[in-house]
Amino acid sequence: GTLAMTTGPNLPTPLPTKLRELSCADDYDPNSMPVERARTIIRQFLTPITATERVHIRAALGRTLATDIVSPIDVPGHDNSAMDGWAVRFADLARGAETTLTRIGESFAGKPFAGSIGAGETVRIYTGGVVPPGADSVVMQERATATATGVRIEAGALSKAGQNRRFAGEDLKAGETVFRAGQALYPAEIGMLASLGINEISVYRRLRVAFFSTGDELVAIGTPLAAGQIYDSNRYTIHGMLTRLGFDAVDMGVVRDVPEDLEQAFKAAAASADVVITSGGVSVGEADFVKVLLDKLGEVVFWKIAMKPGRPLAYGRVGGAHFFGLPGNPVSVMVTFYQFVREALLHLAGRRDIEPLPMLRATLSAPIRKVPGRTEFQRAILTRDADGGASVRTTGDQGSGILSSMSRANCFVVLGADVGNVDAGASVEVQLLDGLN
Ligand code: AMP
Ligand code: MG
């Protein structure tokens, strides 16, 4: 198929058109596609967003910086006290004996002492107060006793000059590159921007992702079920996963398995979004007419991924939009989203240094039966065991239609394609779903 539609309005550059050349690669077998290979192929075809917009930092949570941020100032701007106490010259303190100093003023946070400290003098200072010129250290108030004219400092209250003093620029230095373009903004980053006095920043515009469900058996919630019908749940999990990642989720409803309806839906979705995600209709038997249609509208490959759940997956582009055709089973939708789509969408949204979900290791508390040949993503519950280590057990029935297994799980146990049965007590790889599922 040739590119029948023009590039979508949101994608400034045409997508690479080499997808069809894949079949020439030696290790390309669409019917047995390793998980890692699929990830690598998808990554090759992703063109990140370049359009930007300016937002207030309060509206920047989860957004992606479009420019580097260079610190305009030192943070903190002055040497200041890390605690309530007395600003002193270290050299004034007697070795192994008390020292009495004369109080000449006070330094509050936001209200510095106007003068400087000479020999034998001290300034009462509070946390965040500017350390006056002449002083080099702060004695904490618990190591000193105020007198009528000053303070008596305990022997050994300081062991070296500079103690209890925060240095100008110790957090961020003027001229330093604080963040790089492509950095995601979370609470710490937003607070750091505020500490630099920056109120508006440039971020990539939000990725627009249109999605619809396919299937004659599907009924939208709010309508009674007839015999053999089921409620469309995939649109709601997809909406949730997209929204949580900060994308603009465009719900295109349920579409019947009718070629004309599907063509209309694909065209409308591709014209209005950067990415189109569908669920259902990519398994054997259903894929045939969808394939013909998508070959007409763009360029799509149908894979059988060597994984469980989530075997069928379609990937490519429809018009100017990237396309992910997820399987219909509710668990497969979530697993394929987290294993392939999440990473790809973050990349498209302008994020750099994206990793797949982080892996950690845990001890399996009950055996898992498995046939080698496919990577399995078993829904599981990770807990701390008595000695502080991590134990993991599956949620039970791993059927790809059992969505409650995703709800009860807090992680996937990832068993590689080469692995067979796994015994209790074995160390296994785990991907945490915290904050994602
Ligand atoms: P399919 O991939 O279209 O053959 O669908 C596989 C299974 O997932 C079938 O049992 C479908 O009924 C079910 N399914 C497909 N789409 C949805 C959906 N949107 N919500 C819930 N279940 C679905
Ligand atoms: Mg279907």
Side-chain angles (χ1 to χ4, degrees):
T2 50
L3 184 59
M5 297 166 68
T6 54
T7 297
N10 299 314
L11 290 170
T13 47
L15 294 168
T17 51
K18 297 175 295 183
L19 203 47
R20 259 168 294 124
E21 293 166 22
L22 273 175
S23 52
C24 306
D26 290 344
D27 58 344
Y28 182 77
D29 178 0
N31 292 314
S32 174
M33 176 64 62
V35 172
E36 212 27 71
R37 176 105 170 96
R39 277 201 190 108
T40 309
I41 292 174
I42 291 170
R43 206 174 305 133
Q44 273 174 251
F45 291 97
L46 302 174
T47 322
I49 274 183
T50 53
T52 64
E53 62 193 19
R54 290 191 70 79
V55 294
H56 191 272
I57 58 169
R58 197 193 290 284
L61 187 66
R63 302 295 298 269
T64 307
L65 264 182
T67 59
D68 292 354
I69 299 287
V70 175
S71 179
I73 54 171
D74 278 338
V75 180
H78 304 91
D79 288 9
N80 69 89
S81 180
M83 52 188 60
D84 294 346
W86 301 84
V88 302
R89 301 151 62 103
F90 180 73
D92 284 354
L93 303 188
R95 290 284 154 87
E98 282 186 353
T99 305
T100 300
L101 298 173
T102 305
R103 170 185 186 137
I104 58 165
E106 283 142 358
S107 178
F108 299 95
K111 201 169 154 214
F113 173 66
S116 63
I117 294 182
E121 293 176 340
T122 185
V123 157
R124 180 74 168 116
I125 194 166
Y126 298 90
T127 305
V130 173
V131 175
D136 53 32
S137 312
V138 173
V139 172
M140 68 164 87
Q141 61 189 16
E142 291 78 1
R143 308 290 303 265
T145 309
T147 65
T149 55
V151 69
R152 215 168 46 241
I153 292 175
E154 278 178 20
L158 294 179
S159 55
K160 61 178 192 317
Q163 279 185 304
N164 305 324
R165 169 175 156 198
R166 301 168 177 158
F167 292 88
E170 73 173 17
D171 187 1
L172 306 168
K173 283 191 185 25
E176 179 187 339
T177 299
V178 179
F179 299 124
R180 299 262 175 215
Q183 158 98 43
L185 299 170
Y186 294 122
E189 288 75 32
I190 291 171
M192 283 170 66
L193 290 167
S195 77
L196 295 173
I198 294 172
N199 58 2
E200 254 193 22
I201 48 165
S202 184
V203 295
Y204 292 115
R205 72 159 175 77
R206 248 182 237 285
L207 192 70
R208 262 175 87 76
V209 186
F211 56 98
F212 59 87
S213 297
T214 70
D216 290 334
E217 74 282 28
L218 302 178
V219 170
I221 52 176
T223 314
L225 290 177
Q229 293 184 323
I230 59 169
Y231 285 120
D232 169 16
S233 61
N234 290 344
R235 259 190 312 137
Y236 293 86
T237 48
I238 290 172
H239 179 269
M241 293 186 293
L242 292 172
T243 305
R244 169 162 248 162
L245 287 166
F247 304 133
D248 197 355
V250 186
D251 187 340
M252 312 276 296
V254 180
V255 180
R256 304 278 145 236
D257 289 319
V258 174
E260 297 74 43
D261 292 8
L262 278 168
E263 179 161 357
Q264 273 319 107
F266 272 117
K267 280 182 171 163
S272 65
D274 305 299
V275 182
V276 178
I277 297 177
T278 61
S279 74
V282 291
S283 49
V284 181
E286 290 194 294
D288 289 355
F289 83 86
V290 179
K291 195 172 179 0
V292 171
L293 173 63
L294 290 174
D295 274 343
K296 189 170 96 177
L297 300 181
E299 198 177 16
V300 177
V301 288
F302 285 78
W303 290 330
K304 291 192 181 72
I305 311 273
M307 70 187 278
K308 193 181 164 188
R311 205 158 125 78
L313 183 75
Y315 170 68
R317 62 193 168 79
V318 176
H322 298 269
F323 168 64
F324 295 88
L326 307 185
N329 280 304
V331 178
S332 306
V333 165
M334 297 191 78
V335 172
T336 49
F337 186 94
Y338 286 134
Q339 299 307 324
F340 302 108
V341 185
R342 169 186 169 274
E343 207 182 312
L345 297 186
L346 289 173
H347 191 85
L348 290 173
R351 292 272 298 277
R352 319 268 155 85
D353 308 326
I354 306 143
E355 301 285 338
L357 299 183
M359 292 271 202
L360 53 97
R361 298 199 79 90
T363 306
L364 196 59
S365 43
I368 296 180
R369 295 183 59 78
K370 177 183 178 292
V371 182
R374 296 198 240 168
T375 304
E376 291 200 10
F377 297 88
Q378 298 227 349
R379 276 75 68 211
I381 300 165
L382 185 79
T383 51
R384 265 172 87 92
D385 54 30
D387 61 13
S391 289
V392 68
R393 68 192 144 83
T394 69
T395 55
D397 196 337
Q398 297 288 311
S400 59
I402 300 184
L403 192 53
S404 57
S405 71
M406 275 305 292
S407 169
R408 273 182 292 124
N410 62 9
C411 66
F412 293 125
V413 168
V414 184
L415 301 173
D418 48 334
V419 173
N421 292 338
V422 190
D423 297 329
S427 168
V428 291
E429 287 195 308
V430 161
Q431 284 178 328
L432 285 183
L433 291 171
D434 185 41
L436 293 170
N437 67 339

